[in-house]
Amino acid sequence: MSLNLSLYTVSAFLILDAEGHRVLAKYYRPKSHPNAADVSKGLTTLKEQRAFEKGLWAKTKKPGGDIILYDSHLAVYRHSLDLIFYIVGGPSENEIMLHSALVALSDAVHLLLRNQVEKRVVLENLDLVLLCLDETIDDGIIVETDSTTIASRVSRPKADTTEIVINEQTLMSAYQTVREKVQQRIQQL
């Protein structure tokens, strides 16, 4: 029996819609993985990925569960209105770690999209979702499991709410100030 002492735990992250169509998919095949031959043998072509996604969706389309062993892959999933979020790992991976990464990622997306996590909104804000994914998983390694940390790293900075109003009065006031300063300098000489 060999122990899996690798940090590479995630094989894929998927978001599928209510009909099983791909909204977002990111497959990880790091070259530096200690078991690179085992990791790269499955789900390398688009055809294999689509077949896997279709079968996985068929097994998980009804809400109720949150983990499944499908086609020699451990998948944790979470339903959100008309979407299903998945994190897929090897069959010997730590389910709790995969689940905590999925919950953190899903909660961060909910925070950033103000609980409007549906297909249309996710597609409109795909940049934020991908940034959340990148802050959570890096090349198959789970790097963050705190949703507020992920959301704070991804959130767009708010524009300064104090607006500067420039009108004739402020321009005249600025002109008067400059004129007075110039006169003071001239008098000092």
Side-chain angles (χ1 to χ4, degrees):
M1 183 173 127
S2 66
L3 294 174
N4 181 9
L5 298 176
S6 171
L7 291 174
Y8 298 100
T9 57
V10 178
S11 303
F13 172 76
L14 308 168
I15 299 177
L16 303 179
D17 67 8
E19 288 83 38
H21 299 113
R22 179 188 285 191
V23 175
L24 173 69
K26 189 164 184 179
Y27 288 85
Y28 300 97
R29 280 183 247 27
K31 293 178 177 77
S32 59
H33 191 289
N35 301 327
D38 297 337
V39 172
S40 63
K41 72 178 177 184
L43 306 177
T44 54
T45 66
L46 182 61
K47 185 177 180 181
E48 290 172 341
Q49 292 172 359
R50 296 283 184 163
F52 175 77
E53 292 166 13
K54 183 178 180 182
L56 182 63
W57 176 80
K59 295 283 186 185
T60 60
K61 63 184 175 184
K62 293 183 181 164
D66 58 359
I67 187 167
I68 186 172
L69 185 62
Y70 174 73
D71 194 28
S72 298
H73 292 87
L74 182 65
V76 293
Y77 59 99
R78 191 173 200 193
H79 288 263
S80 176
L81 296 177
D82 61 346
L83 298 173
I84 308 173
F85 290 74
Y86 298 90
I87 288 186
V88 181
S92 62
E93 294 301 338
N94 185 336
E95 308 87 21
I96 296 171
M97 191 65 189
L98 292 176
H99 186 265
S100 64
L102 178 65
V103 168
L105 178 61
S106 175
D107 288 350
V109 170
H110 275 82
L111 283 170
L112 290 169
L113 300 182
R114 296 184 175 100
N115 289 324
Q116 296 178 349
V117 182
E118 56 190 34
K119 184 177 179 179
R120 180 188 57 79
V121 177
V122 166
L123 289 173
E124 288 173 357
N125 296 286
L126 198 56
D127 58 337
L128 291 177
V129 176
L130 285 169
L131 286 171
C132 281
L133 178 59
D134 289 342
E135 288 294 330
T136 308
I137 302 167
D138 183 29
D139 202 23
I141 299 172
I142 298 171
V143 292
E144 186 62 64
T145 57
D146 181 35
S147 60
T148 53
T149 303
I150 295 166
S152 68
R153 289 182 185 161
V154 171
S155 64
R156 296 180 181 133
K158 296 194 190 296
D160 191 9
T161 55
T162 58
E163 295 182 27
I164 299 173
V165 178
I166 298 177
N167 56 26
E168 287 183 36
Q169 187 175 5
T170 56
L171 287 176
M172 288 302 291
S173 174
Y175 173 73
Q176 291 291 349
T177 305
V178 169
R179 189 171 143 196
E180 289 171 7
K181 294 284 184 188
V182 169
Q183 284 178 352
Q184 288 175 359
R185 294 281 178 163
I186 292 173
Q187 289 175 359
Q188 289 177 353
L189 297 174

